[in-house]
Amino acid sequence: MDKPNLELWPIGNCQVSALVDTEGAFAWGCVPRVDGDPVFCTLLNGARRDEGVWRFEIEGQVSATQHYRRNTPILVTRLEAEDGSALEIHDFCPRFERSGRMYRPVAFIRIVRPVAGTPRLRMVLAPMKDYGGARAENTSGTNHIRYLVEPQALRLSTDAPVGYVLENRTFRLEHDLHFFLGPDEPFVGNLRAEVRQMEALTERYWTHWTRGLHIPLEWQNEVIRCAIALKLCQHEETGAIVAALTTSVPEAPHSERNWDYRYCWIRDSYYTVQALNRLGALDVLEKYLTYLRNIIDSAKGGRIQPLYSVMGQSELDEGHETALAGYRGMGPVRRGNAAFMQIQHDCYGQIVLPTVQGFFDRRLLRMADERDFESLEQVGEMAWAMHDQPDAGLWEFRTRQEVHTYSAVMCWAACDRLANVADRLGRGDRCEVWHQRADAIRAKIESEAWVENGELGGHYGASFESDYLDASLLQMVELRFLSPDNERFLSTFAAVERELRRGDHMLRYAAEDDFGAPETAFNVCTFWLIEALHLVGRDSEARVLFETMLSHTTRSGLLSEDLDYETGELWGNFPQTYSLVGVINCAGLLSKPWSEVR
């Protein structure tokens, strides 16, 4: 078995998800939701290949190929043997409307089909519990096996020989076999017929969802695949959007930059809904706005945290799970994230900006009203109060605080957009208040963040106290703080590119942090570079760089958080919402218009 890598294929239904490796095995999957216990954990389980896995093997295997069914997250894996026999595995999590509501159970479905010759099949299903601490005990019946994971057992209902499954025996595959691993309750109805219907309805749901997207002419497959993956990162029950589906895949080898990303960062979610908005996926925005309103209510006018659990829980105590060896043995495996205790003032802008759409967009089922404005003003008050106060910054430094320029610009954006809403609601008095505050913050940034640099023309610093450079400064145009032809932006862009660009890739920053100097490029920063190249008229260069980034995607069409800019290897949690947002945004900016073909 090769060492684990990030060539993974996500399946899911916005309740649970699994990452399938290149051999068709479930390498990662948590229940009863994304931040739950990883019952499938071979991604982080070291050499324990037969624990925490769901794998099918064909006797005498010589190859494995994979693809998604068009415009869906339904995965097809084809295994071929040396005698010419072959089988296909069709993997998905059911998702479709039933009885007036969305059916998205804590369930995984696998259908195994013989497609050539007489394949001989062996199945290993060994879910774990307690974060890899113990193999789940099981009990069985005539057509099912119960796995006693916590907090609720899972039941495998199948028309395969249960004895062969329990004993991991190899047997001849002569007809389709169906596997439904879900809630611990008897499977109602004909298993084969019900599973086939779930497959058809799930495919119909995703193809219709994709049909509603407004996508660019070029790079359609790439944009669609990233959009589907972003939607899988939403926990639909609450509307929260997680930063990634995994924990503790290191940002660089042996760096100990291993973080649990299975939570809802206000910042990451802002970028996610912004990108999906551009594609017209309003369902994700609407559900996320509901989540935000609950966060605002709970804060009661006070400080907003950088992140929360998908259920809105505020305390996410960070600890190590020692039973798991870590990705390629590179621990620690972390559960929880201490960043919830950090001060990050950019979050106020990242709450206001997506929420503002609710006051203007008449397509929404629930438009925002005066009461929502009053709640949102409380967030704005915090942005105004904190715009020039030190924080940990968007990169979440653990040992230092400064007044970060990106955070200050986000606070400016919060006040600026609240003025727009006040004007929309006919509240001239409040419009004037927020305009004045936005102007005051702008003046403070221009005064405190600008660094003169002789003949090079100067640049904005990453913070008011330091003159080091940070790729997030490129977002000043996206946030409408500066225009792309602004001399200060052009000078800052030149400095950022000069200091942080490494070939075809970008660092977040080059200065040493809590763990030393960064060793890998941060993928979303490379996409910010591509956007900036487009904004300053270097389109041909931007297109080449974008194509280069697409060449680094996995076979599933996705990206993790980081990339070794020398070897091209992907690092960091997967799939990373930031990175997928970058693909969508850059494709939209750089694509030829539809008017060229219709």
Side-chain angles (χ1 to χ4, degrees):
M1 175 71 175
D2 293 334
K3 60 186 178 182
N5 58 58
L6 297 182
E7 281 292 346
L8 301 167
W9 301 72
I11 63 171
N13 61 4
C14 305
Q15 171 66 38
V16 290
S17 57
L19 299 178
V20 186
D21 70 16
T22 53
E23 299 297 314
F26 281 18
W28 184 259
C30 304
V31 296
R33 56 179 188 254
V34 64
D35 60 354
D37 197 353
V39 293
F40 304 115
C41 54
T42 55
L43 182 67
L44 304 181
N45 206 18
R48 295 155 63 189
R49 184 172 182 262
D50 288 335
E51 294 184 343
V53 71
W54 190 357
R55 184 176 69 244
F56 294 103
E57 299 172 354
I58 185 173
E59 192 172 72
Q61 180 177 319
V62 293
S63 70
T65 56
Q66 291 168 297
H67 70 274
Y68 283 118
R69 300 236 284 264
R70 192 172 79 91
N71 296 351
T72 78
I74 300 175
L75 177 63
V76 180
T77 302
R78 181 185 176 98
L79 304 181
E80 296 187 357
E82 55 193 357
D83 64 359
S85 60
L87 60 83
E88 284 184 350
I89 309 162
H90 294 241
D91 291 330
F92 66 99
C93 296
R95 177 177 172 83
F96 49 86
E97 287 191 27
R98 187 169 78 177
S99 303
R101 60 184 183 271
M102 189 62 66
Y103 177 68
R104 41 172 172 73
V106 179
F108 308 89
I109 292 178
R110 313 195 76 176
I111 302 171
V112 184
R113 294 175 171 143
V115 292
T118 55
R120 289 180 56 77
L121 173 71
R122 175 176 178 262
M123 188 183 98
V124 178
L125 175 52
M128 302 292 283
K129 63 181 183 179
D130 300 330
Y131 275 76
R135 192 161 172 165
E137 300 90 347
N138 63 63
T139 65
S140 61
T142 306
N143 300 113
H144 76 268
I145 305 170
R146 297 174 64 242
Y147 294 92
L148 306 182
V149 299
E150 298 292 344
Q152 184 176 357
L154 292 173
R155 178 185 294 238
L156 177 73
S157 300
T158 183
D159 50 11
V162 168
Y164 288 163
V165 172
L166 286 170
E167 297 180 17
N168 299 337
R169 289 192 176 275
T170 302
F171 61 96
R172 187 167 173 154
L173 181 66
E174 296 187 331
H175 54 79
D176 293 5
L177 296 179
H178 305 80
F179 302 85
F180 182 95
L181 182 66
D184 185 23
E185 54 195 41
F187 192 95
V188 177
N190 180 286
L191 180 74
R192 176 190 177 94
E194 291 293 327
V195 165
R196 291 293 183 88
Q197 184 182 36
M198 289 180 186
E199 181 184 26
L201 291 174
T202 299
E203 182 169 26
R204 175 182 171 82
Y205 168 82
W206 285 107
T207 54
H208 278 69
W209 183 80
T210 302
R211 189 179 68 172
L213 299 178
H214 173 68
I215 61 172
L217 172 60
E218 298 183 85
W219 305 294
Q220 292 184 43
N221 289 336
E222 291 86 347
V223 169
I224 288 170
R225 190 50 53 200
C226 289
I228 289 174
L230 286 180
K231 185 167 175 63
L232 293 181
C233 288
Q234 182 167 58
H235 184 69
E236 188 171 66
E237 181 181 4
T238 62
I241 301 168
V242 297
L245 299 178
T246 58
T247 177
S248 303
V249 181
E251 295 178 16
H254 305 288
S255 65
E256 294 195 18
R257 298 176 190 259
N258 302 16
W259 312 115
D260 192 346
Y261 275 12
R262 300 171 301 156
Y263 304 110
C264 182
W265 268 260
I266 301 298
R267 176 176 51 254
D268 300 51
S269 300
Y270 154 71
Y271 281 106
T272 298
V273 296
Q274 179 197 52
L276 289 176
N277 252 343
R278 290 170 173 160
L279 302 180
L282 291 184
D283 56 330
V284 175
L285 169 69
E286 286 183 312
K287 292 180 176 67
Y288 178 62
L289 290 182
T290 299
Y291 179 80
L292 274 188
R293 286 192 288 268
N294 280 308
I295 294 297
I296 294 169
D297 287 350
S298 298
K300 301 186 187 305
R303 182 177 74 86
I304 302 292
Q305 294 181 186
L307 70 154
Y308 297 84
S309 81
V310 296
M311 300 306 293
Q313 179 184 350
S314 58
E315 294 188 9
L316 306 171
D317 294 328
E318 185 176 303
H320 294 179
E321 295 295 340
T322 56
L324 293 173
Y327 183 74
R328 301 185 187 173
M330 300 177 194
V333 172
R334 287 187 170 94
R335 176 185 183 183
N337 198 306
F340 82 90
M341 296 184 290
Q342 289 190 353
I343 307 296
Q344 294 180 31
H345 299 319
D346 56 325
C347 64
Y348 301 114
Q350 289 143 358
I351 286 177
V352 171
L353 267 60
T355 306
V356 162
Q357 184 167 343
F359 296 90
F360 291 87
D361 195 336
R362 301 199 65 82
R363 296 171 296 172
L364 297 175
L365 296 175
R366 180 197 181 277
M367 291 192 67
D369 56 23
E370 289 272 1
R371 290 171 299 174
D372 295 309
F373 178 58
E374 291 171 5
S375 294
L376 203 58
E377 280 197 299
Q378 296 178 28
V379 178
E381 292 290 349
M382 290 297 293
W384 168 241
M386 298 297 169
H387 73 272
D388 58 354
Q389 299 301 303
D391 72 354
L394 81 161
W395 307 125
E396 301 181 349
F397 297 122
R398 294 197 166 198
T399 58
R400 72 172 186 260
Q401 290 197 347
E402 296 178 341
V403 182
H404 288 93
T405 304
Y406 176 86
S407 297
V409 172
M410 268 295 181
C411 290
W412 167 86
C415 297
D416 180 73
R417 305 318 192 261
L418 279 167
N420 294 344
V421 175
D423 184 59
R424 170 78 168 185
L425 297 176
R427 296 288 303 276
D429 56 332
R430 301 307 298 164
C431 180
E432 180 63 24
V433 166
W434 290 113
H435 267 312
Q436 289 177 355
R437 290 176 172 181
D439 289 345
I441 297 175
R442 175 183 287 278
K444 175 76 74 170
I445 293 168
E446 297 290 5
S447 168
E448 301 294 332
W450 183 255
V451 179
E452 288 294 345
N453 196 12
E455 294 181 0
L456 295 176
H459 60 80
Y460 290 100
S463 74
F464 289 9
E465 297 90 342
S466 307
D467 64 356
Y468 78 94
L469 289 154
D470 179 338
S472 67
L473 295 167
L474 301 180
Q475 288 287 283
M476 296 173 91
V477 171
E478 170 67 27
L479 294 169
R480 302 205 306 273
F481 185 83
L482 298 175
S483 61
D485 59 355
N486 180 280
E487 287 299 325
R488 285 194 165 189
F489 172 71
L490 293 172
S491 181
T492 299
F493 175 35
V496 167
E497 185 176 14
R498 184 170 58 248
E499 295 295 323
L500 302 184
R501 185 168 177 175
R502 300 291 186 270
D504 294 329
H505 306 284
M506 279 284 275
L507 304 179
R508 287 175 287 185
Y509 45 83
E512 288 200 4
D513 60 17
D514 314 331
F515 293 84
E519 302 171 59
T520 51
F522 204 72
N523 289 327
V524 74
C525 296
T526 304
F527 289 117
W528 289 349
L529 168 64
I530 294 167
E531 291 174 15
L533 291 170
H534 165 76
L535 290 170
V536 302
R538 294 160 62 183
D539 260 22
S540 59
E541 190 177 348
R543 287 179 68 93
V544 170
L545 209 54
F546 184 50
E547 292 284 3
T548 299
M549 280 302 292
L550 293 179
S551 74
H552 291 296
T553 60
T554 60
R555 278 169 264 180
S556 59
L558 306 176
L559 286 164
S560 64
E561 182 182 51
D562 307 272
L563 186 147
D564 186 318
Y565 50 83
E566 294 182 349
T567 68
E569 185 172 13
L570 293 175
W571 289 89
N573 284 306
F574 180 88
Q576 175 72 13
T577 52
Y578 260 160
S579 303
L580 308 185
V581 162
V583 173
I584 292 171
N585 288 346
C586 288
L589 283 175
L590 300 175
S591 173
K592 298 173 185 176
W594 278 97
S595 58
E596 287 201 7
V597 297
R598 59 182 188 200

